[in-house]
Amino acid sequence: MALDIAELYGYAPTDESAQAREARDSRHCPFINRPCTKTFNDNTSNGVCTLIQKSAGPVICCPNRLYSDGYRVLLDIAVSAFGEGVRLVGPTNLDASGSGQRSVVVFGRWWGKELSLPGRGREGKGGFVDWVLALIDEREELVEFVAVEIQSMDTTGSYKALRDAYMAGKGYQPVSAGINWRNVFKRILPQLIYKGHILHREKLCKSGLFFVCPSPVYRKIVEELSDELEEYHRQPGSLTFKWYNLASEQETGRLRALVCEGEFTTTVSQVAQALSGQKRLPPAGVYEQAIRTELQRVKKAGLSLDGRRGDRK
């Protein structure tokens, strides 16, 4: 069983409680309290929050899953960056005075809008960070801010047949899909580096960039880069990893809690150097050895170099 579904519309796919059936029937996401926004390529509802891979355990595959408990992850980061005694507010509901708490304005999906980063080239188009948390004072003036990227995992291949089987009550259906781990190093980390360098030049971005991911993603990064990443305190240009996992077992009719399993701060430059550093290179001579091995194979097989078997005199 290479890949299975751990959560479907928030509940175990075999959960037959009234809450789970209602979520599946209505295609409702209990974590953002909205209809599920995740779709397959044919635009049909997906509903899969978390997959489970035998070698990695539960892997959150929908970013909305990380917003459980009223976007608790954003409050966790606001407290880490700005200290205790803060509250989250939307940009259209500031009301910075009278609450007894400092206000952190949230810019992101459903809270306002994502703020575009400046880019390169004539058009000046950049990317987006998922969230900007902006601390304001009692006069509603900006004090400082922190940027947040939220990352779940995608897959190679399709698990739609598995999802459809569970929705139809047929149980587990083997599929050939897997977790796309290569994407972590091919796309995710390079984007973090680019955005992190932009934010390093922002004088009010005093705690740098936060990266929230499922625990198995952080473990993959550690396997590849940990020997080259040094720990730093939060500062302009820093990159703070926060990794989350699901609480142990799921009870029938109840959502599994989301648990922060750790936090580690380094710098964007450290990650950039580690990702492209010489310590990650293969041994010298690997190309030469590959060529010699293939030439030897051709020779032993009695083939000419164009792949045809030839006369050897």
Side-chain angles (χ1 to χ4, degrees), residues 281-295:
L281 297 177
V286 290
Y287 273 97
E288 177 185 339
Q289 184 57 47
I291 294 168
R292 292 186 183 278
T293 299
E294 181 60 17
L295 290 175

Side-chain angles (χ1 to χ4, degrees), residues 255-300:
L255 301 174
R256 292 171 74 171
L258 191 66
V259 180
C260 181
E261 294 193 326
E263 180 177 305
F264 175 79
T265 300
T266 184
T267 66
V268 173
S269 295
Q270 283 275 309
V271 175
Q273 291 171 8
L275 192 61
S276 61
Q278 294 183 358
K279 292 182 181 179
R280 301 184 70 244
L281 297 177
V286 290
Y287 273 97
E288 177 185 339
Q289 184 57 47
I291 294 168
R292 292 186 183 278
T293 299
E294 181 60 17
L295 290 175
Q296 189 65 23
R297 186 193 68 80
V298 169
K299 183 177 179 181
K300 286 183 178 180

Side-chain angles (χ1 to χ4, degrees), residues 119-144:
R120 295 172 292 188
R122 292 182 179 179
E123 296 184 0
K125 291 182 179 180
F128 291 89
V129 288
D130 293 320
W131 301 92
V132 172
L133 307 181
L135 179 67
I136 60 174
D137 61 20
E138 64 278 1
R139 296 173 298 170
E140 300 178 1
E141 295 291 334
L142 178 63
V143 177
E144 64 176 292

Side-chain angles (χ1 to χ4, degrees), residues 30-290:
F31 306 113
I32 59 172
N33 196 27
R34 294 170 180 265
C36 177
T37 62
K38 187 176 181 181
T39 60
F40 289 107
N41 291 335
D42 60 3
N43 290 323
T44 59
S45 179
N46 184 306
V48 176
C49 319
T50 306
L51 294 163
I52 186 165
Q53 192 173 43
K54 187 175 182 180
S55 61
V59 182
I60 295 169
C61 61
C62 178
N64 291 337
R65 178 60 179 94
L66 290 161
Y67 301 144
S68 63
D69 193 19
Y71 295 82
R72 177 73 196 193
V73 63
L74 298 182
L75 183 59
D76 288 348
I77 292 171
V79 170
S80 291
F82 310 129
E84 297 284 349
V86 295
R87 62 170 188 154
L88 304 182
V89 298
T92 60
N93 185 32
L94 298 183
D95 187 24
S97 61
S99 69
Q101 293 178 303
R102 294 173 299 153
S103 294
V104 175
V105 184
V106 181
F107 294 95
R109 193 177 187 186
W110 299 312
W111 284 75
K113 66 175 184 177
E114 294 175 310
L115 299 180
S116 179
L117 287 173
R120 295 172 292 188
R122 292 182 179 179
E123 296 184 0
K125 291 182 179 180
F128 291 89
V129 288
D130 293 320
W131 301 92
V132 172
L133 307 181
L135 179 67
I136 60 174
D137 61 20
E138 64 278 1
R139 296 173 298 170
E140 300 178 1
E141 295 291 334
L142 178 63
V143 177
E144 64 176 292
F145 70 92
V146 67
V148 183
E149 284 284 277
I150 305 284
Q151 183 65 56
S152 59
M153 286 304 294
D154 58 5
T155 61
T156 58
S158 175
Y159 54 81
K160 189 175 186 299
L162 173 59
R163 179 265 187 196
D164 291 347
Y166 276 126
M167 290 292 287
K170 297 179 180 178
Y172 179 75
Q173 169 71 43
V175 293
S176 59
I179 305 298
N180 189 5
W181 297 116
R182 292 182 60 188
N183 211 26
V184 174
F185 302 97
K186 182 179 180 180
R187 182 182 65 84
I188 296 171
L189 287 181
Q191 286 186 359
L192 284 178
I193 292 166
Y194 173 67
K195 294 175 182 180
H197 280 315
I198 294 174
L199 291 160
H200 193 182
R201 303 175 69 186
E202 296 288 329
K203 66 180 181 180
L204 294 184
C205 189
K206 300 175 183 179
S207 294
L209 175 63
F210 278 73
F211 177 62
V212 175
C213 64
S215 293
V217 175
Y218 180 72
R219 289 197 293 267
K220 286 289 181 182
I221 294 171
V222 167
E223 288 174 8
E224 291 289 326
L225 306 181
S226 65
D227 290 343
E228 302 168 59
L229 295 181
E230 296 183 6
E231 188 168 8
Y232 282 71
H233 63 274
R234 286 189 297 276
Q235 59 185 280
S238 66
L239 175 59
T240 298
F241 296 91
K242 287 181 75 72
W243 55 99
Y244 288 76
N245 212 342
L246 304 183
S248 55
E249 291 299 320
Q250 186 169 25
E251 299 179 30
T252 300
R254 296 179 63 89
L255 301 174
R256 292 171 74 171
L258 191 66
V259 180
C260 181
E261 294 193 326
E263 180 177 305
F264 175 79
T265 300
T266 184
T267 66
V268 173
S269 295
Q270 283 275 309
V271 175
Q273 291 171 8
L275 192 61
S276 61
Q278 294 183 358
K279 292 182 181 179
R280 301 184 70 244
L281 297 177
V286 290
Y287 273 97
E288 177 185 339
Q289 184 57 47

